[in-house]
Amino acid sequence: MAVVGVLALQGSFNEHIAALRRLGVKGVEIRKPEQLDSVASLIIPGGESTTMAKLAQYHNLFPALREFVTMGKPVWGTCAGLIFLANKATGQKRGGQDLVGGLDCTVNRNFFGSQIQSFEAELSVPELASKEGGPETFRGVFIRAPAILEVGPEVQVLAECPVPSNKVLASRADVEDQEEKLSEKKVIVAVRQGNLLGTAFHPELTADTRWHSYFLKMSSGVAEGASSSIVAVGGEGLSLSRQPIIDLPIFQ
């Protein structure tokens, strides 16, 4: 029976598995290419994108991850995972890093600044609220977060975030030529393109599981509430009302 895979090279993979568990779904850690054969969908968590890329190279994961995407299986990238899924990334460290690709967008790494400039913001999420119920907003947790500067015609924008006026943006030179594209000083922070979902923030660090539920329903049959691609592991779902934020990890 298939389960949801969570790439477990580095970062907040345990928090994603815990969020899935609260929905009665089993998540399994993925560290080797052959382990992808046993899962129907995959979450690429937040963490340090360069470190994750180096570990993925070491384990020869990139070919298998790219094949997983091209097969049309649902993949969700959060923060560093979003960078992995983007077709293009700017503001990278010297030498750059490999990307899985598939998501027709340009992402700027660490757009919102350094670790100490991490923040939380209420995001308008009409699509999420329409599909999953609950409030019209979602409390986004941004930790050294990227932002989406450009999207292709097939990409659906799910959330935008105002650019905080008191933030000193990282890699400013990389985004100056994109400023005219930022609508009313907002940047895109959540998108969907077919089987791919990307969020610049960390839903796994809150008790609101609506993004996880939304992702699960991207798999065929899950929308009806009964599918062989999910495995009940016990536990009850939490209320979709305002929930406390889980302590933030340090991403270096």
Side-chain angles (χ1 to χ4, degrees):
M1 182 179 290
V3 296
V4 178
V6 182
L7 193 65
L9 300 176
Q10 188 260 351
S12 57
F13 56 89
N14 281 324
E15 288 80 0
H16 274 293
I17 291 173
L20 292 169
R21 185 179 300 114
R22 294 198 296 273
L23 290 171
V25 176
K26 184 177 181 180
V28 296
E29 297 177 7
I30 302 295
R31 293 187 176 90
K32 298 179 180 179
E34 58 268 24
Q35 292 173 323
L36 288 169
D37 295 335
S38 64
V39 297
S41 56
L42 179 70
I43 297 173
I44 305 177
E48 209 293 314
S49 61
T50 304
T51 299
M52 289 172 62
K54 289 179 178 178
L55 290 170
Q57 287 177 326
Y58 178 80
H59 292 286
N60 195 32
L61 270 162
F62 277 108
L65 289 169
R66 291 172 183 136
E67 181 181 7
F68 197 92
V69 168
T70 58
M71 289 175 64
K73 294 184 178 182
V75 182
W76 174 20
T78 63
C79 197
L82 165 64
I83 298 172
F84 261 49
L85 288 180
N87 282 347
K88 182 180 179 181
T90 64
Q92 299 186 65
K93 293 181 179 179
R94 185 180 299 275
Q97 68 181 64
D98 282 343
L99 303 173
V100 175
L103 192 55
D104 187 11
C105 68
T106 299
V107 171
N108 181 265
R109 182 181 182 272
N110 292 353
F111 179 90
F112 288 102
S114 66
Q115 181 83 28
I116 62 172
Q117 293 167 308
S118 300
F119 65 100
E120 299 173 14
E122 292 291 339
L123 306 175
S124 176
V125 287
E127 168 72 7
L128 183 70
S130 173
K131 294 294 193 296
E132 301 300 326
E136 291 286 332
T137 60
F138 184 90
R139 187 74 171 175
V141 179
F142 293 82
I143 304 175
R144 291 183 63 186
I148 301 166
L149 304 181
E150 294 182 302
V151 297
E154 302 300 318
V155 177
Q156 179 184 9
V157 175
L158 301 179
E160 294 179 308
C161 180
V163 178
S165 59
N166 63 337
K167 300 294 180 184
V168 179
L169 300 182
S171 303
R172 186 65 183 175
D174 289 331
V175 299
E176 283 180 349
D177 62 344
Q178 301 290 344
E179 283 185 339
E180 69 278 4
K181 299 183 176 72
L182 304 183
S183 174
E184 298 178 353
K185 295 185 179 180
K186 290 184 178 181
V187 287
I188 301 167
V189 293
V191 294
R192 177 179 178 180
Q193 181 184 354
N195 60 305
L196 302 179
L197 178 67
T199 56
F201 49 93
H202 292 265
E204 75 279 10
L205 298 183
T206 79
D208 187 337
T209 56
R210 286 181 294 165
W211 282 104
H212 288 81
S213 178
Y214 181 87
F215 174 66
L216 292 171
K217 290 176 182 176
M218 289 169 57
S219 298
S220 60
V222 176
E224 287 72 35
S227 171
S228 61
S229 64
I230 62 175
V231 179
V233 294
E236 298 180 356
L238 299 180
S239 168
L240 295 180
S241 60
R242 189 67 54 78
Q243 300 290 344
I245 301 298
I246 299 170
D247 289 341
L248 303 184
I250 301 298
F251 292 157
Q252 299 178 348

